[in-house]
Every structure is written in C-alpha cells, then in structure tokens.
Amino acid sequence: MTDFLPLFIEQLQSPTLGFLIGGIVVAALGSQLAIPDSIYKFISFFLLMKIGLTGGIAIRNSNFSEIILPALGAVGIGIVIVLISRYTLGKLPGISVPDAVATGGLFGAVSGSTLAAVLPQLDSAKVPYEAWTAALYPFMDIPALVAAIVMASLYIGKKTGKTTEKVEIWPIIKESLQSSAVTAMLLGVALGILTKPEPVYESFFNPLFRGFLAVLMIIMGMEAAQRMNELRKVAQWFAIYAFFAPIVHGFLGFGVGLILHKITGFSIGGSVVLAVIAASSSDISGPPTLRAGIPSANPSAYIGASTAIGTPVAIAICIPLFIGIAETMLGR
Amino acid sequence: MTDFLPLFIEQLQSPTLGFLIGGIVVAALGSQLAIPDSIYKFISFFLLMKIGLTGGIAIRNSNFSEIILPALGAVGIGIVIVLISRYTLGKLPGISVPDAVATGGLFGAVSGSTLAAVLPQLDSAKVPYEAWTAALYPFMDIPALVAAIVMASLYIGKKTGKTTEKVEIWPIIKESLQSSAVTAMLLGVALGILTKPEPVYESFFNPLFRGFLAVLMIIMGMEAAQRMNELRKVAQWFAIYAFFAPIVHGFLGFGVGLILHKITGFSIGGSVVLAVIAASSSDISGPPTLRAGIPSANPSAYIGASTAIGTPVAIAICIPLFIGIAETMLGR
Amino acid sequence: MTDFLPLFIEQLQSPTLGFLIGGIVVAALGSQLAIPDSIYKFISFFLLMKIGLTGGIAIRNSNFSEIILPALGAVGIGIVIVLISRYTLGKLPGISVPDAVATGGLFGAVSGSTLAAVLPQLDSAKVPYEAWTAALYPFMDIPALVAAIVMASLYIGKKTGKTTEKVEIWPIIKESLQSSAVTAMLLGVALGILTKPEPVYESFFNPLFRGFLAVLMIIMGMEAAQRMNELRKVAQWFAIYAFFAPIVHGFLGFGVGLILHKITGFSIGGSVVLAVIAASSSDISGPPTLRAGIPSANPSAYIGASTAIGTPVAIAICIPLFIGIAETMLGR
C-alpha cells in the first residue's frame, strides 16, 4: 500500500487526465470553445484505426490461439456487468428495469476513447502488455449490448404477458459490428494482419496518436460537463451507480486478467487493459443500438450516467488505479 | 516476363491498395463508418498542395525547358483518349455519343488521388522519376475536358442542324483551372517555385502525406462501392469500357513516356507517372465541368464508370503493373 | 538603415507571407478552392492551444513576477489604441463615432493568427524572446474591447441624453474570456503550468505548428480578398486607417517594449511580440463581442477594415519590419 500510493498519484498527473479535466472546466465556465463534430468523428476514426492497426500487427506476429481465452473472458465480463445492473440498480426504488438494464448495457459496452487513453499511459509507465489486447474491445462490447436488449425484452414480455415474441440477436450483433467505432477498429486489425501498413503506421498513426488523444480528451470533458444537466433530471441512483460501477467492473476485469495470468501467462499489463475495457462505458456506438433495442428506456438516464460520470471515472480514477496496482505487483 | 511477375505481385501488397480494398469491403458490408466531407476536402487539398510543392521545388531547382515536351505529350494523350471513347464506346449499340464522349472526357481528365498514390509507391520501389512530372496533371486534365465538350457540342450541333453555335473554349479552361483540385496543385507549384517552403514542407506536408493518402484510399474505396449501384442502372458497356480504358490509356501514356525517354532522356519512372496520369480518371473536378458543358449526357454513366471501376482499376492494377514493368526494364 | 533593409527584405520572403499572398491571389482569381469551416476552427484551436502550452510551460519554468509589468503595458496599449481611433478616425468627415470606436476596438484586440505567424519567424531569425510573451494576448485584447464599448456607450448616452444608463463591464470581459480563441489559449497556458504536457507537445503541437499555420495563412488570404468587397461599400477613410493603424500601433507596442527592456531587461524579441500583438487586429473573437456591445456600429466597416487590410498589413509588413529592426538592434 505504501508502494502503491505514490505510483497512483504520479499516474493522476498524466497529461491525458489534465486535458480531460481542462475540457470539463472549460465547459463548466460556459466557454464558447467547440471542436467541430467532423473533427471529433475523424479523431475517433483515427484513434480506433491506430489501435486496430497496432493490434493487427501484433496478431500477425503472434500466436493466434493466445487470444481465445481472454476473448472468452471478455464475453463473460460483458454479460456479468449487465446482470449486476439488473440485480443492483434495477432493484432500487423508482428505477425501472429497462432503464437499469440499458444503463448496464452501456457500462458493459466499451469506450474507444478510454481504451485509447490507457495504452499510451501503460507505455509511459513501461508496463508491458500484449498489443492485441485492444482487439478484445468487440468481444465485451457486443455481448453486453445483446445481453441488455435480451434481458429488457424478456422482462417487458413477461410483464405484458406477450412471452411469445422472440428477440432477434443477429441484428443487434450486426448493428454493433457495423457501427463506425467497431468498424474502424476491425478495419485496422484486418489491415494490420493482411497488409504491411508499417510505413503509414510509423509516419502517421503512431506519432499523431497522443496529440489526437489529447484533443479527444478535451472533447470528452466538455461533453461530460454538458451531459451533467441531463443526469440531474433523473434519479440520483444513476449518478451513484455511474460512480462506483467503473471501479467494480474494473476489479472484475482485473481479476479475470489475473486468473488468465496464472493459467496462460497473460501479462499483468494485459490485465490492466482488460480492467479498463471493463471499467469503460460506451459513449458513441452503444447509445443508438440501445435506443433502437430498448425504446422504453430513458436515454437521459443511461447516456447521462455514462458520459457525465462513467467515462471521467474510468479515465481519471480507474486508469491510474490499475496501472498503480500493476506497478506495485511488478515490484517497482 | 518471369522477372516481371514477382515484382507485380509485390506491388499488389502495398498498403495503399490495402486501404482502398478495405474501404470497398467496409462499404459493401453496410458499415456506418463515414469520414466527414470536410475531412475529405481538407485531405484532397493537403495531398494536392504537397504534390504541387514537390513539383514546384523540383522546377525551381531544374531546367524549365525539360518540361515542355512531356507537357505537349500530356496534351496529346488527353485529346486522344477522348477520340478513342468517341470511336469505340460511342459506336456501340445503345450508347449515345454525348454519353460516350463525356465518359472519355472524365477518363482523360486526371485523378488527384491516383496521382497521389503512385508517387510514394515509386519512392518505395526506388524507381527514380523527375519530381516535376506531377505538374503534368493540368496539361492532360484540361485538354481532355475541353475536347469532350467540343466534340459533344459539334455532334449535337450537327444533329440538330444548329451548326452556327460556337463552342466557347476559354470558359471551360477557366473553370478547370479554378476547380479546387487544380488550384490547390498550382498554388503548391507557385509557392514551391517562388517562396522557400522547405520548413513547412519537411515538418508537415512530407511526413503526413502517406497517412492522409491512406485515409483518402479508404474514402475512395467506400465511394467506389456506393457508386456501383448507379453504374448498374446504365448499359453494361460502360462497365466494360471502365475496366479496360485505364489499362489502354496507361500503355498509351507509358509509350509516349518511352519515346520521350529515347529523345530527351525523360526517366522510366517519369514514364510510369505519365502512364498513371493517363490511366487515372477524374472523380472530383471533372464531373461538375462536364455536367455544365454536356448537359445532355447522363452523369450516372460517366461518374459511375469512373468512380466505381476506373479509379480502383487505375490504383489496384495500373500502378503495380507499370511499376513492375519499370522495375523489369531497369533490370531489378 | 543600410543594415536594416536586407534583413527586412529577407523577412519578406518567409513562407508564412507567401502562403498569405497565395490565398489572396487564389481568391482574387475566383478559384473554387475552399478550406472547410470546421478545419479552420480546428486549426485556430490547435494554434492557440500550442501558443498557450508554450507560454504555460515557459511560465512554469520562470519567474511569474516578470510578466506583471509587460501585462500592464499591454492593458495600456489596448486602451490607447481605442483612444487614437476616437480622436483620429472619429473626427473625420462622414465617420460616426460608434463606427470609429468599434474599428479601434477591433484593431486594439488581438489576432491569434498574426500572433501565431510572428513566433516561428522569430525562431527562424534566431531572435530570442520570452516564451510567455504570447500570454500577453488577453491583456491587450479584453481592455481594448471593453474600452471601445464603454466609449461608444458614453458617446451615445451623452447624445441621446440618457446618461443614467450604466455600462456593465463584467459581461464584456466575461464574453471575451469565453470566446473560443481566448479560451483555447488560456486552456493551453493552464495545462502548460499545471500538467506535464511535454510528450503531447513534442509529438503533436510543436511539429505540426508551422504546417497548420501555413494552411491558416491561405485561409486568411482568401478571407481578406473576399472582405475587400464589403470594405468598398464604406467610406475610404476606413481603408486608409486600416493600412496605417497596424504600423502606428506596432511602433507604440515596440516603444513600450523598449522601455520595459531598459527597466526590467525584457528582451528585444519580446518587444517584437508586443509590437505585433499591438499591430494585429481581431478577426474571430472580436466581431461578435462588438456586434453585441455596439449594435449601432456598421460591421462592414470594422470587419472589412480589419480582415481585408489590417491583418494582411500586420502579417506582411509589421512582422518583417519589427524583426528587421530587432535584428539591426542586435547587431546582426
């Protein structure tokens, strides 16, 4: 513990976090600063392509079978996160089950920006990890969204007595895979495996990664401050859930990572990536899927909880926390 | 031939082509991935400025008279390409002469993205070329568009008996020169000749070139897949023309380049650039000029043929083909 | 003087100026080239963040008390510039006092693009300056806008006899601080002081600065050419004022800088920055504040004067002029 605290505090001073807080402060002070939406879309595309390329190049140069167990772990975590929301948030007074399950689905789904934030911080802290861990993204993202929509449909079906209606799972999976975030990452993975993108990677995607990430953090911070108003309109339980869920999910992911570490030699750094993927909540690709899949849930509740509190907690607390723990375990 | 095949296959594995095919596949699978239009416009501007600056700096440091014969060759190729379309595509059953000539004009005009794609691949293959060859762009682009509009007007005038109407050539030339693609390139050439842009060139335009080109290739691929539907609506002769024309035009350009090689010492690499300029077909600047100049031609035919088939064939087949031939001739 | 002329001429050949003139020429020739507005906004944000970060990192590593006297000097210059416009331009026949004072406010306010242009040219000329001088921006910008609005209100109040109406100063200051340009720079300063943004700064903001500045210069040039038409509609005194004001204000700023040089050891290069901040006129953040604060003033007059003539004169004449003078004083 005495080893851990200074490492945690050092992680808190990272520029990534500074840019996030800067964005929150700027928006809270009512600044007219705005990064155009097209720039935001390009930056998201750029970061996820880069993460995908890194993963694809790593998979090309590694043993494909290594990825199977961690991928199964990611699927399990995604489903468990939705179950947790169903039986904690969903049991609280004044919270409807569809709202609880939709929020759990969004917190089980993955944020590309949070994933983009943890990787350079692991590099800076010199904690090694398997580069393909980023490719675990869709293995947690899609099961969480599918589980949330299925659970909400079963609940509504039971309540209204229409138990005959079957939930179509394939359209949910397809929609998730076709979302721009997952497409960009999978395109990067495919190009990394099948072509030799190293000249483009070294001259463009790698050097500009930290800079575009910093700009994205400012955008995420401004977005969080703006969503705070929406969150005020719904029950405060959503805010409490949004604060603690990333930390609980992070420990769940880290625990699964450590079990894999014992069994297969999966790295401690890889466990940090798995923890942060679990801690993150989707801000871009998840909401439209949930809006279509659970139309009775209130978007102000789940989007407000995720964007205003979940993402800042994942970036500002969970990333430093798990890197600090990893450094302590590695005996720094 | 046994020397050529492995060189051709190696060229097919270039990242440029991978990104193009990636874009086609992503759009064909119905992904919601989209690069915002403003990013596309900026990338086009960036690439053509960079090509122009490279050319301008090269012209400043070279003998201006060298460029005269290749420029005349480019003018001739642009006009011949339109004549070919008039007397091949235009003679086929069910094809109107204005449609054929407009398609020929677009295939004679030049694609900035194809031009942007060939240059780094020549660099990677270490095939030397005169850096000013990119400046041949407008010398083929403008004559092709002018020839197409003049031929269509003469044909329509003869058919309707109104032979008195004169075709105004200067407005067509002016509109081409004022198009954003040609302006960006000529602005780069002028700044390269008249100022000393080396600090900006070395810190910005040169290092980011490959990366923005890769992003543009994804956009071109997605665009090609989307245009395929439009092409299905018109006679299939357009698809057949669009597949073979870039290859035929490429050999025409390469042949002119080799004649210049014998006469003036123009490089083999420069002949490849000339071949690819001839093989390319305009996707951005040509269509509006043609739409205004030949209003009776069907844009689905010429834009569909150029974007859905012509540009992918030029990038995916012609660039590897002519670099492979050049490497064989250089005795690699 | 014989020392100064060659140095001045060399400064005139800088790429920054070339790109500005390129933009003017391109727009004047009627080209359809356009850099999308979202790109323009991102570039402005990028450049001001970078200037702010540079300043913030410099302040972190320096003595904060150094900045107090130059900041007071900047406040004074901002107010004096408005007074000059009130008693020169405002006394001319056919010029209304609110129009004169609004124009003075815009010329006292600061242009982020002009500030972005002078810094790399000082670096290239190897004239040293305190990196925090860029942080003087808001100290001149805000007092000039406040002074203009207060003077216009007092004049209108006196004329209409409604002297009871009090001018609210705090909303004007708040609006200026919340403008995207000032926010971006202050955010950069804050992040530079409070976090350690060096990895992002070195990999992103510093290397891309010159390139994005070059693109911005093209945009400013095109904008200047387009605004010229608006300026033609108002009294030609505005054009004459707009040509001479940047030079007069520049000498005012340089003089204050030299006094500080004698008293506190403020550098000659810092005096050049102060001169160029004084010479510059606001193109982005100032106009909306003035439009709200002095609704009776004619925006064609003050925006036309600033964008079509003021900014080009500041970049094309004042920057080379004061760097040339500084080099002469440093005995190059």
Side-chain angles (χ1 to χ4, degrees), chain C residues 41 47 49 56 73 76 131 136 153 169 196 203 237 252 259 283 309:
Chain C
K41 282 184 181 146
L47 297 176
M49 268 294 284
L136 297 175
S153 298
I169 288 177
K196 286 175 187 163
S203 69
W237 290 119
L252 177 64
I259 294 168
D283 352 79
I309 300 185

Side-chain angles (χ1 to χ4, degrees), chain A residues 198-274:
Chain A
E198 277 83 352
V200 176
Y201 183 83
E202 292 303 335
S203 69
F204 188 69
F205 288 101
N206 203 28
L208 301 186
F209 183 70
R210 277 166 185 268
F212 278 131
L213 177 64
V215 178
L216 185 70
M217 286 298 116
I218 294 175
I219 299 172
M220 302 307 293
M222 295 195 296
E223 184 81 1
Q226 283 152 11
R227 290 284 179 184
M228 198 57 94
N229 287 326
E230 282 190 38
L231 194 57
R232 286 207 190 95
K233 293 179 207 150
V234 298
Q236 61 186 2
W237 289 118
F238 286 102
I240 294 165
Y241 172 85
F243 184 85
F244 289 104
I247 300 169
V248 172
H249 302 164
F251 275 107
L252 178 63
F254 197 66
V256 171
L258 291 186
I259 293 168
L260 292 167
H261 177 63
K262 295 281 176 201
I263 303 174
T264 68
F266 186 62
S267 70
I268 302 283
S271 304
V272 173
V273 177
L274 194 58

Side-chain angles (χ1 to χ4, degrees), chain B residues 48-73:
Chain B
L48 285 159
M49 267 295 284
K50 193 270 176 184
I51 293 172
L53 285 170
T54 313
I57 294 171
I59 291 172
R60 194 208 316 151
N61 300 324
S62 77
N63 191 345
F64 187 73
S65 66
E66 281 181 275
I67 202 173
I68 294 172
L69 273 182
L72 287 177

Side-chain angles (χ1 to χ4, degrees), chain B residues 115-128:
Chain B
L115 179 57
V118 68
L119 303 178
Q121 280 181 260
L122 280 169
D123 293 338
S124 296
K126 289 181 186 133
V127 174

Side-chain angles (χ1 to χ4, degrees), chain B residues 46-101:
Chain B
F46 176 95
L47 296 175
L48 285 159
M49 267 295 284
K50 193 270 176 184
I51 293 172
L53 285 170
T54 313
I57 294 171
I59 291 172
R60 194 208 316 151
N61 300 324
S62 77
N63 191 345
F64 187 73
S65 66
E66 281 181 275
I67 202 173
I68 294 172
L69 273 182
L72 287 177
V75 171
I77 295 167
I79 294 168
V80 167
I81 286 174
V82 183
L83 285 170
I84 292 174
S85 74
R86 171 72 183 83
Y87 293 105
T88 59
L89 187 62
K91 293 290 183 192
L92 289 169
I95 308 283
S96 82
V97 168
D99 279 3
V101 161

Side-chain angles (χ1 to χ4, degrees), chain C:
Chain C
M1 199 63 193
T2 46
D3 295 336
F4 163 74
L5 265 180
L7 292 166
F8 177 57
I9 287 162
E10 203 191 306
Q11 287 302 322
L12 282 175
Q13 292 172 329
S14 85
T16 307
L17 185 52
F19 282 84
L20 180 80
I21 294 169
I24 293 175
V25 170
V26 157
L29 292 176
S31 164
Q32 283 159 29
L33 182 69
I35 314 278
D37 191 54
S38 56
I39 301 295
Y40 166 60
K41 282 184 181 146
F42 176 70
I43 292 179
S44 299
F45 163 78
F46 176 94
L47 297 176
L48 285 159
M49 268 294 284
K50 193 271 178 183
I51 292 172
L53 285 169
T54 313
I57 294 171
I59 291 172
R60 193 206 318 149
N61 300 325
S62 76
N63 191 345
F64 187 71
S65 65
E66 280 181 277
I67 203 175
I68 295 171
L69 273 182
L72 287 177
V75 171
I77 296 166
I79 295 168
V80 167
I81 287 173
V82 183
L83 284 170
I84 293 173
S85 73
R86 170 73 184 84
Y87 294 104
T88 59
L89 187 61
K91 293 290 185 194
L92 289 168
I95 308 283
S96 83
V97 168
D99 279 2
V101 161
T103 308
L106 212 56
F107 276 75
V110 178
S111 155
S113 45
T114 310
L115 179 56
V118 67
L119 303 179
Q121 279 180 262
L122 279 169
D123 293 338
S124 296
K126 288 180 186 133
V127 174
Y129 61 96
E130 293 83 358
W132 50 258
T133 47
L136 297 175
Y137 178 143
F139 291 98
M140 194 183 302
D141 192 68
I142 294 170
L145 293 171
V146 170
I149 293 171
V150 169
M151 274 186 228
S153 298
L154 291 177
Y155 174 84
I156 294 166
K158 203 179 284 178
K159 216 179 148 191
T160 58
K162 293 181 191 162
T163 44
T164 50
E165 212 176 330
K166 226 179 98 195
V167 191
E168 296 274 358
I169 288 177
W170 173 239
I172 311 170
I173 296 178
K174 200 177 148 198
E175 195 180 359
S176 298
L177 287 171
Q178 287 177 339
S179 74
S180 45
V182 173
T183 300
M185 214 198 66
L186 292 182
L187 178 59
V189 169
L191 289 169
I193 295 176
L194 300 173
T195 71
K196 286 175 187 163
E198 277 83 352
V200 177
Y201 183 82
E202 292 304 335
S203 69
F204 188 68
F205 287 101
N206 202 28
L208 301 185
F209 184 70
R210 278 166 184 266
F212 278 131
L213 177 64
V215 178
L216 186 69
M217 287 297 117
I218 294 175
I219 299 173
M220 301 308 293
M222 295 195 296
E223 184 80 2
Q226 282 151 11
R227 289 284 180 186
M228 200 56 95
N229 286 326
E230 281 191 39
L231 194 57
R232 286 209 189 94
K233 292 177 206 152
V234 297
Q236 62 186 1
W237 290 119
F238 286 102
I240 293 165
Y241 171 86
F243 184 84
F244 289 104
I247 301 168
V248 172
H249 302 163
F251 275 108
L252 177 64
F254 197 66
V256 171
L258 292 186
I259 294 168
L260 292 167
H261 177 63
K262 294 280 177 203
I263 303 173
T264 68
F266 187 61
S267 70
I268 301 284
S271 304
V272 173
V273 177
L274 194 58
V276 172
I277 287 177
S280 82
S281 57
S282 177
D283 352 79
I284 315 162
S285 46
T289 306
L290 286 175
R291 202 169 289 195
I294 316 179
S296 60
N298 178 4
S300 290
Y302 57 80
I303 301 178
S306 169
T307 308
I309 300 185
T311 295
V313 167
I315 295 172
I317 297 179
C318 295
I319 292 179
L321 176 67
F322 292 106
I323 294 183
I325 294 174
E327 286 184 299
T328 313
M329 289 179 71
L330 292 164
R332 301 281 163 87

